[in-house]
């Protein structure tokens, strides 16, 4: 049996499970995000189209002309926070710069909806976008959304339907929370920590094995993965996740690029293009997308 066929056999999404209510701190942070959306914090011009793909709410950011491709981007937030609106300025800028459509889904969040609910939603949207036509379809994600993007790619590759490319921005790829960079970079990462990662992983997994390759794609079989861009800030606690995943991709024969930026904070490029390293990262992402969507 080939590695790809074996992966298709091994990677099976478990049944969805009932979750538990969100802690007060998570509920309060979500309420703050809802207020920010209502206040127009991440509003873009033109506004995205709000629609549904097989029951999953999505925002679709379109270029001014015909789209050369599609980018399915999954937002971060530790699997328990976040919304597609917060990615709006980044998605709109990428759509305008590369002439692609960027689709951002509202996937279900933990702890009310533990693993694999969010991944199921991402998979649903991915399959719906594949049915739309032959344009190159790229999967992308930041932080926990990067983990979902890599898990989705593993699932799709096992089905013989890998995307045209994969973009991982400060991705959280190992929910065992055991990487050495949680300690070595603790003082240089103000946005994420070992403690917050352990809390988020517990809310998301709720007893499911953290070593499951669809929860921690660092442990997935990577044969059949498409060209991949892995981007990180050198001082992030997730730096080891990114470097190990890039090395594993290379070992599997995948065309993988690694971008490390000194002084760049966690998911800077999706938080604001004026942040340190964000503009540099955006141009690297744009060049990667151009390479997959421009003919000739």
């Amino acid at each position: 049996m080939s590695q790809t066929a074996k992966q298709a056999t091994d990677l099976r999404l478990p049944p969805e499970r009932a979750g538990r209510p969100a802690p007060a701190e998570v509920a309060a942070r979500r309420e703050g995000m809802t207020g920010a959306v209502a206040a127009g914090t991440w509003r873009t011009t033109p506004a995205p189209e709000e629609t549904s793909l097989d029951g999953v709410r999505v925002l679709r950011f379109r270029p001014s002309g015909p789209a050369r491709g599609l980018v399915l981007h999954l937002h971060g937030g530790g699997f328990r926070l976040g919304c597609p609106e917060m990615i709006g300025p980044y998605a709109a800028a990428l759509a305008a710069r590369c002439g692609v459509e960027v689709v951002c889904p509202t996937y279900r969040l933990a702890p009310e909806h533990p693993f694999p609910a969010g991944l199921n939603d991402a998979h649903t949207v991915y399959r719906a976008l594949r049915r739309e036509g032959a344009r190159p379809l790229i999967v992308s994600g930041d932080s926990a959304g990067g983990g979902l993007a890599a898990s989705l790619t593993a699932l799709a590759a096992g089905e013989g339907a890998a995307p045209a490319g994969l973009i991982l921005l400060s991705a959280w790829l190992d929910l065992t929370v055991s990487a050495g960079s949680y300690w070595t970079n603790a003082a240089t990462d103000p946005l994420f920590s070992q403690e917050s990662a352990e809390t988020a992983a517990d809310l998301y997994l709720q007893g499911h094995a953290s070593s499951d390759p669809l929860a921690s794609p660092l442990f997935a079989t990577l044969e059949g993965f498409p060209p991949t861009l892995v981007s990180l800030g050198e001082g992030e606690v997730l730096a080891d996740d990114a470097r190990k995943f890039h090395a594993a991709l290379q070992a599997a024969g995948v065309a993988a690029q690694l971008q490390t930026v000194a002084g760049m904070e966690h998911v800077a490029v999706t938080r604001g293009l004026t942040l340190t390293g964000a503009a540099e990262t955006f141009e690297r992402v744009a060049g990667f997308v151009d390479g997959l969507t421009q003919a000739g």
Side-chain angles (χ1 to χ4, degrees), residues 66-218:
R68 291 195 293 262
L70 291 166
V71 176
L72 168 58
H73 185 87
L74 301 162
H75 69 76
F79 304 105
R80 69 206 190 283
L81 297 167
C83 59
E85 283 83 357
M86 64 190 286
I87 302 297
Y90 167 79
L94 190 64
R97 162 64 179 77
C98 296
V100 295
E101 181 180 348
V102 183
V103 181
C104 303
T106 307
Y107 60 85
R108 286 171 290 171
L109 300 175
E112 299 95 327
H113 306 284
F115 174 84
L119 181 54
N120 271 334
D121 290 344
H123 193 212
T124 295
V125 172
Y126 179 77
R127 288 180 295 181
L129 291 175
R130 279 184 56 85
R131 292 196 303 268
E132 289 188 1
R135 291 177 296 176
L137 172 55
I138 300 165
V139 171
S140 174
D142 62 289
S143 194
L148 286 175
S151 295
L152 171 60
T153 300
L155 192 62
E159 296 170 340
L166 173 63
I167 300 167
L168 301 177
L169 306 171
S170 301
W172 188 14
L173 301 161
D174 179 4
L175 300 194
T176 67
V177 194
S178 57
S181 51
Y182 280 106
W183 292 272
T184 58
N185 288 349
T188 55
D189 192 336
L191 297 178
F192 207 43
S193 68
Q194 179 193 10
E195 181 181 5
S196 60
E198 289 175 341
T199 298
D202 176 68
L203 292 176
Y204 179 58
L205 294 172
Q206 295 186 32
H208 190 83
S210 58
S211 59
D212 184 329
L214 288 179
S216 294
L218 183 61

